[in-house]
Amino acid sequence: MYQFSYADVQEDDVTESKDRERQVLDRSIEMLQLAIKKGSDSQEAIEALYYVNRVWIRLIEDLGSAENQLDDELRANLISIGIWIIKESERIRHRETDNFQGIIDITKMIRDGL
């Protein structure tokens, strides 16, 4: 008979968490790709940038949490990337750039690393 252990629950939680993160990042990529097609001043672009900001603010909060188990250097690097994405999305919103693709490329790298 299989013995239930706390480690199994933790592993399931980590796997489920990574799956949710992948789904959220996939959704942000899809929204940004649609924004490229519709244009940086479209409703789709506004919604994509809003979504991306919410996602990365939440990820940064999680990465800054004492409970986050990633090593400090990786956490710091991901926080820096998140800050860049938020700043870049603000630059798009202010029509200083239209670098949706840069955000997409970075997001894909993060998603693929999960």
Side-chain angles (χ1 to χ4, degrees), residues 44-57:
E44 290 81 3
I46 293 166
E47 291 171 5
L49 295 171
Y50 178 73
Y51 185 82
V52 166
N53 280 344
R54 285 188 13 232
V55 165
W56 279 99
I57 287 168

Side-chain angles (χ1 to χ4, degrees), residues 3 11 17 51 75:
Q3 294 292 318
E11 184 64 32
S17 177
Y51 185 82
R75 287 168 57 190

Side-chain angles (χ1 to χ4, degrees), residues 69-88:
Q69 296 177 1
L70 294 176
D71 79 28
D72 291 344
E73 184 177 354
L74 179 56
R75 287 168 57 190
N77 288 338
L78 289 169
I79 288 169
S80 293
I81 290 167
I83 291 168
W84 179 84
I85 288 174
I86 291 169
K87 286 181 178 179
E88 195 68 4

Side-chain angles (χ1 to χ4, degrees), residues 5 10 19 24 26 41 56 62 67 71 74 107-108 113:
S5 74
Q10 284 182 312
D19 286 343
V24 166
D26 280 340
D41 59 346
W56 279 99
D62 181 60
E67 290 100 35
D71 79 28
L74 179 56
T107 303
K108 284 180 177 179

Side-chain angles (χ1 to χ4, degrees), residues 18-29:
K18 285 183 177 186
D19 286 343
R20 280 191 307 274
E21 289 170 353
R22 268 189 216 94
Q23 290 171 1
V24 166
L25 294 175
D26 280 340
R27 178 72 181 131
S28 68
I29 291 165

